[in-house]
Amino acid sequence: MSSSRSAVLDKIKSSLKSEASDQTRREAVAARIKKHDRNLIPNRTAGLDKGGLVDLLETKLKAVDCSVQRLDTLDDVPAAVAEFLKNQNLPATIRQAPHSSLTSLPWSEKAPMVEVSEGRSYGDDLNSLTACHAAVAETGTLMLESGPEGPTTLNFLPDNHIVVLRESQVIGTYEEGWDSLREKRGPADMPRALNMITGPSRTGDIEQTIFLGAHGPRSLHVLIVKD
Amino acid sequence: METQAQEFKSNAVEALANQPLQSAMGKMKKGFTEKRRIAAEGLEEFEQLRDQARDIKNHTLDHLDLYLEAFEEKVKENGGHVHWCADGEEARQTILKICRDLDARTVTKGKSMITEEIELNDFLEKNDVEPVETDLGEYIIQLRGEKPSHIIAPAVHLNQDQVEEDFRRVHTHLPEDRNLVEPRSLVNEARQVLRQRYIDADVGITGANFLIAETGSSVIVTNEGNGDLTQTLPKAHIVVASLEKVVPTLEDASTILRVLARSATGQEFSAYTTFSTGPKRADDPDGPEEYHVVLLDNGRSSMLGTEFQEMLRCIRCGACMNHCPVYHAVGGHAYGSTYVGPMGVVLTPALAGIEETGVLPNASTFCGRCEAVCPMRIPLPKMMRHWREKEFEKHLSPAATRYGIGFWAFFAKRPKLYRWFVSTNLALLKLWGKGDNIRFFPFKDGWTKHRDLPVPEGKSFQQLWKEKQKGAKS
C-alpha cells in the first residue's frame, strides 16, 4: 500500500473539519450505498405501456442515427441481417456473440449466404451481431454487458454493429436497468464492462461538424423482436 | 502544476489578431450554446436535475474520505488496484512503474484532462514509452505539439485546412496525391492510422468521468469509441482520476449523466458511456488483464472546507467556456493553463497557486453566463471574486490596478466629493466627445482602439435614482 494513502485521507479529513462524528458519517455513507435510492426520474417515460416504450425507443434510436427494424420472431433475425448487409453493400459475413439467444439462430435455413462465425473480435470483422441487457427508451440507450456471452470487442471493433433485443427488454430509464442488473447478478456486482451505447460512433472534433464512425462502428442497426 | 498564466495578457492580444483562430472561434461559439439550449429545453426536469446533481456532489464531498475508501474496497474486491498519489510526480512515477513492469513500449490514451494536468505524455516519452492519443482532437494536437484549447473539444481552435496540413506532414506513408478536401476523409484517415495502434498498445490509459463507490467502477463518457478501444484491447487499463470524481451509487451517476451530455454537446446522452469494473474475469473472452486506478489529489484536498470547495463539483462538461465571451474572444491557449475558461480560471489558482496565476480570475466580465449554464450550479463569478480579493490582499495585482482602486476608494468613502467628481467628469466627457461617441481618450486607448466610448447621457445613476424616488412619492 502506498504511503500517500493515509496522507491523502488525513488531509481530506482535516480540511473538511466535519462536525458530525465518525460513526454518523460512516453510517450515512454505508446507508446511501446500500439503499441506492433513485433521484428524480424524468417524466418522459412515466405511464407508457410496453408498446409506448418500444415506440419511444425507436424514435430515440433513430434520432441518434441508428436504423431500426421490428421482427415477429427470433427466427426472422438471419434474414433481417442478410437484408441489412445487402442494402448497405456489405460483404455477407457476420461475427456473432456466443449469446444463448443467438447461438441457435437458423442461419443455414433462413440466410445460407451469410458466413457466420462466433467469438470476440480481433479487429478484422466488418460486421457484428450481439444481444444486450436492456434498451432504455428515455434516450435510445442500449445497455450491453460483457462476459462469456458478450465480448466487448464486438461492440467497438467492427464497422457495423447489429443488436438484437426482445420487446420485454425495453425499459424506461437507466435506473430500471441498474435494478434488473442487480437482480440478475446480485447487489453491487457489475460485469467487467457495462457499455451504454447511444447511436454509432461519432466525432465533432473538426470544426464541430458531426461525422459518424470515428473509431467505433459507423452504423448501429437495432432489431426489435416481439416476445 | 506549472502554468504560463502570467502571459495571459500578451497571449490575448496575439489571439485577437490571429485570423485562423478567430475564424475557428467564430464557428464554435454559436454551435455549442444553441445545442445546449435545445437539449435543456427538451427535458422538463432539467433545472431540478441540476439541483439534485449539485446536492449529490455536495454530499459526496462532505464524506469524500469515506466514499473513496468504499470505492477502493470494491476495486480490490474485483481484482483491481488503487494507487493513491499526493501529486503529479507520484502519479507519473506510479504510471511509469506499471508500464515498466509490463515492458510496455506504447500506450494508447483516451482523452483525459487529468493526464494533461500532470503532463504525462512528455514524461512517458522521456522514459521511452510512446504515448498515442486516440481521441481525434487530442490526436491532432499531439501531432502539433500543442495543448488542448478546450476541455472537451481540444482542437476547437483549428480549422479543417490546418488539420489537413498536419496529416500530410505526418502521415507520409500515405499517397501524396490523396484527396483530403472533405473533412470526412480526415476522420477516415485518423481512424485508419490509429486502428493498428490500439491493437499493438501494451497499456491503455483513460481518465474517468465518475468513480462509483457502490461498485468500484470507473466511468468514461465519450462519442468516438476510442476510449473503449483504449481500455479494452491492451494488457492493462490504467484509470487516472482525481479524488472528486467519486459518486456514491449508480443512481447518483445516472442523475449527473442526465445533465452532463446535455450541458456539454447538447446530446441527450453521449454515444458511449462505459462502466469498467476490475480486470478481465476468468471466463471473459476479452478485456485487460490488469486494472489500475491512479487516484490523484494534486491540491484538491486542500480546497475542501474553503470557499473553493464547490469547484470540486465540476464535471468538466465545458458549458462555462462554451458560453464565455472572454473564451470566445481569445480561445483556450491564451490562458496558458491546462484548464481554461471560467472553470479554469477558478481551478488553476487553487492547483498552481494564486502567485503565478493571479491574472486568470481577472479574465472575466462577470456577465454570469457560466454560472447560469453550469449543470452543477458552481458559483464561478463569486469564486473569481474570492481570488481577486486574495490577489489584492497579497499585493499581487499590478500597480496601476492597485492605485486605481485606491483612487476610487478615496472618493467612494466621501459621497459628496464622489458626486461632485462624477458630475464634473460627465460634463467634461460630454465636451470631449464629438457627436455620440468618443473616438480617443488620453491613456484610455486600450478601450478606444477597439471600440468607441459612448458619450454620457448627462445624468449619473445617483441623480436618476433620486429623481425617480421623488417622482414615485409625488
Side-chain angles (χ1 to χ4, degrees):
Chain A
M1 194 169 292
S2 90
S3 55
S4 284
R5 182 182 189 275
S6 50
V8 171
L9 285 170
D10 287 348
K11 179 72 192 156
I12 294 173
K13 271 182 237 171
S14 67
S15 295
L16 280 174
K17 302 185 240 1
S18 179
E19 282 164 17
S21 76
D22 196 47
Q23 199 193 341
T24 316
R25 296 176 77 236
R26 280 186 188 279
E27 280 168 8
V29 166
R32 183 161 180 138
I33 290 176
K34 188 157 185 246
K35 277 160 66 185
H36 51 76
D37 282 336
R38 290 182 181 188
N39 303 300
L40 175 71
I41 305 288
N43 213 17
R44 189 178 272 183
T45 55
L48 289 182
D49 60 10
K50 207 83 228 175
L53 281 178
V54 177
D55 288 346
L56 178 62
L57 175 73
E58 180 168 349
T59 307
K60 289 293 177 187
L61 286 170
K62 287 178 175 166
V64 292
D65 306 292
C66 292
S67 48
V68 179
Q69 197 182 347
R70 302 221 196 168
L71 304 174
D72 287 329
T73 73
L74 264 182
D75 284 356
D76 296 335
V77 168
V81 169
E83 192 192 329
F84 171 79
L85 298 178
K86 188 167 158 246
N87 289 343
Q88 304 290 317
N89 281 324
L90 292 165
T93 59
I94 197 100
R95 183 84 169 165
Q96 80 173 22
H99 190 272
S100 49
S101 68
L102 306 177
T103 41
S104 50
L105 290 174
W107 289 105
S108 50
E109 186 191 329
K110 299 286 180 79
M113 66 299 260
V114 180
E115 193 185 307
V116 185
S117 61
E118 204 173 79
R120 64 159 285 180
S121 179
Y122 292 92
D124 31 37
D125 308 293
L126 265 183
N127 315 307
S128 66
L129 180 71
T130 72
C132 68
H133 167 69
V136 186
E138 180 180 352
T139 48
T141 300
L142 308 171
M143 295 173 100
L144 285 83
E145 208 182 346
S146 73
E149 298 198 348
T152 310
T153 39
L154 291 183
N155 307 342
F156 295 99
L157 279 170
D159 275 20
N160 309 284
H161 183 194
I162 307 174
V163 178
V164 182
L165 63 105
R166 295 276 202 166
E167 284 188 359
S168 55
Q169 289 175 287
V170 181
I171 54 177
T173 63
Y174 318 125
E175 284 81 352
E176 291 166 58
W178 302 132
D179 278 349
S180 60
L181 205 62
R182 288 182 184 116
E183 205 170 298
K184 185 152 107 185
R185 310 182 61 99
D189 181 30
M190 290 283 275
R192 186 198 67 74
L194 189 285
N195 301 119
M196 295 174 90
I197 299 182
T198 312
S201 157
R202 65 195 60 218
T203 183
D205 273 346
I206 299 177
E207 297 188 3
Q208 294 102 59
T209 313
I210 302 296
F211 294 100
L212 300 184
H215 296 283
R218 299 168 195 271
S219 74
L220 181 57
H221 188 54
V222 182
L223 303 173
I224 306 176
V225 184
K226 285 208 176 92
D227 291 302
Chain B
M1 197 171 91
E2 279 184 33
T3 79
Q4 279 78 48
Q6 281 156 324
E7 281 149 51
F8 177 77
K9 279 191 181 175
S10 55
N11 287 345
V13 171
E14 274 172 37
L16 288 169
N18 179 339
Q19 278 317 312
L21 173 70
Q22 290 300 323
S23 145
M25 297 312 289
K27 283 171 209 155
M28 78 79 66
K29 67 184 181 192
K30 269 200 185 145
F32 278 116
T33 49
E34 187 64 5
K35 285 180 196 161
R36 184 251 171 215
R37 185 184 61 74
I38 294 169
E41 286 172 5
L43 185 65
E44 52 179 298
E45 298 87 353
F46 188 72
E47 295 305 315
Q48 291 155 271
L49 286 167
R50 287 174 67 189
D51 291 339
Q52 291 203 338
R54 172 199 60 203
D55 297 346
I56 290 167
K57 276 281 188 178
N58 281 349
H59 164 84
T60 315
L61 291 172
D62 283 340
H63 301 83
L64 188 61
D65 49 334
L66 301 176
Y67 279 115
L68 288 171
E69 283 177 18
F71 169 76
E72 179 190 37
E73 197 183 315
K74 286 300 290 184
V75 172
K76 285 184 181 165
E77 215 175 274
N78 288 307
H81 306 273
V82 176
H83 309 268
W84 299 74
C85 297
D87 55 24
E89 178 58 17
E90 192 176 356
R92 288 188 293 268
Q93 294 295 348
T94 304
I95 295 164
L96 181 63
K97 179 161 190 314
I98 299 168
C99 292
R100 290 246 163 101
D101 287 349
L102 287 162
D103 288 325
R105 306 302 302 170
T106 64
V107 306
T108 40
K109 287 186 68 214
K111 198 188 129 30
S112 130
M113 286 309 297
I114 192 94
T115 61
E116 296 285 347
E117 177 183 322
I118 62 171
E119 294 175 334
L120 182 62
N121 287 1
D122 283 352
F123 174 80
L124 289 178
E125 263 169 42
K126 277 182 201 134
N127 288 283
D128 299 319
V129 179
E130 186 197 2
V132 182
E133 293 288 352
T134 61
D135 169 83
L136 179 55
E138 285 283 344
Y139 177 68
I140 293 167
I141 61 164
Q142 190 183 26
L143 296 185
R144 299 171 65 86
E146 289 180 348
K147 285 193 150 217
S149 68
H150 188 287
I151 60 172
I152 68 160
V156 75
H157 58 289
L158 296 171
N159 298 291
Q160 180 200 327
D161 53 332
Q162 295 168 293
V163 179
E164 178 181 344
E165 247 171 63
D166 291 321
F167 279 19
R168 289 196 185 281
R169 176 173 55 81
V170 178
H171 300 161
T172 46
H173 63 291
L174 297 172
E176 261 177 59
D177 58 352
R178 69 195 186 281
N179 188 339
L180 291 176
V181 175
E182 291 295 317
R184 164 91 258 172
S185 55
L186 296 170
V187 176
N188 284 343
E189 185 163 310
R191 179 186 173 101
Q192 182 195 337
V193 169
L194 284 168
R195 198 31 87 107
Q196 197 56 39
R197 308 303 306 256
Y198 293 116
I199 296 169
D200 295 341
D202 305 297
V203 171
I205 299 178
T206 69
N209 291 82
F210 305 97
L211 306 172
I212 315 276
E214 177 193 359
T215 57
S217 311
S218 58
V219 184
I220 60 166
V221 179
T222 70
N223 274 310
E224 297 185 359
N226 64 305
D228 285 280
L229 290 167
T230 297
Q231 64 187 17
T232 305
L233 297 174
K235 283 182 278 206
H237 174 200
I238 304 177
V239 182
V240 190
S242 48
L243 305 178
E244 80 282 11
K245 295 288 170 189
V246 72
V247 293
T249 64
L250 294 167
E251 277 73 8
D252 292 325
S254 304
T255 298
I256 303 179
L257 282 167
R258 284 194 177 96
V259 296
L260 172 56
R262 287 179 171 92
S263 301
T265 52
Q267 290 168 284
E268 290 204 316
F269 219 62
S270 300
Y272 301 114
T273 300
T274 293
F275 294 66
S276 298
T277 314
K280 183 179 174 181
R281 313 276 160 88
D283 50 0
D284 276 352
D286 48 21
E289 280 143 40
E290 291 181 24
Y291 176 82
H292 298 267
V293 180
V294 174
L295 260 185
L296 179 67
D297 182 343
N298 216 22
R300 287 163 178 83
S301 56
S302 304
M303 293 167 71
L304 292 166
T306 72
E307 62 267 61
F308 302 107
Q309 174 167 329
E310 291 182 278
M311 189 60 222
L312 296 174
R313 288 204 302 263
C314 178
I315 52 173
R316 308 287 189 268
C317 69
C320 58
M321 56 198 77
N322 291 342
H323 290 76
C324 177
V326 175
Y327 178 88
H328 289 164
V330 300
H333 285 157
Y335 293 79
S337 55
T338 303
Y339 301 104
V340 300
M343 59 77 57
V345 306
V346 173
L347 184 61
T348 307
L351 302 183
I354 187 72
E355 289 75 11
E356 305 294 316
T357 60
V359 65
L360 292 183
N362 292 283
S364 163
T365 64
F366 278 172
C367 73
R369 285 173 84 189
C370 50
E371 182 175 357
V373 297
C374 173
M376 308 306 287
R377 298 205 191 279
I378 299 172
L380 290 157
K382 186 179 92 184
M383 288 192 275
M384 289 176 215
R385 262 199 304 275
H386 286 320
W387 279 127
R388 291 187 193 184
E389 281 162 22
K390 285 191 193 296
E391 187 199 17
F392 190 81
E393 284 162 13
K394 291 194 173 189
H395 296 270
L396 297 166
S397 351
T401 309
R402 302 187 66 80
Y403 289 132
I405 291 175
F407 183 71
W408 179 80
F410 174 83
F411 284 98
K413 280 185 262 181
R414 296 166 176 81
K416 271 190 190 161
L417 197 59
Y418 185 92
R419 280 195 288 275
W420 172 82
F421 185 76
V422 169
S423 56
T424 337
N425 273 282
L426 288 178
L428 283 174
L429 276 176
K430 223 171 169 182
L431 283 176
W432 181 273
K434 294 182 179 67
D436 292 335
N437 287 307
I438 295 168
R439 300 256 154 83
F440 170 75
F441 199 82
F443 308 114
K444 288 288 160 233
D445 60 334
W447 177 286
T448 51
K449 211 160 75 183
H450 298 288
R451 49 221 175 301
D452 292 346
L453 180 70
V455 166
E457 294 278 326
K459 286 176 183 168
S460 72
F461 172 78
Q462 291 197 355
Q463 283 168 324
L464 288 170
W465 180 256
K466 224 180 217 170
E467 285 174 20
K468 201 179 152 157
Q469 294 297 91
K470 261 190 202 159
K473 271 179 204 156
S474 61

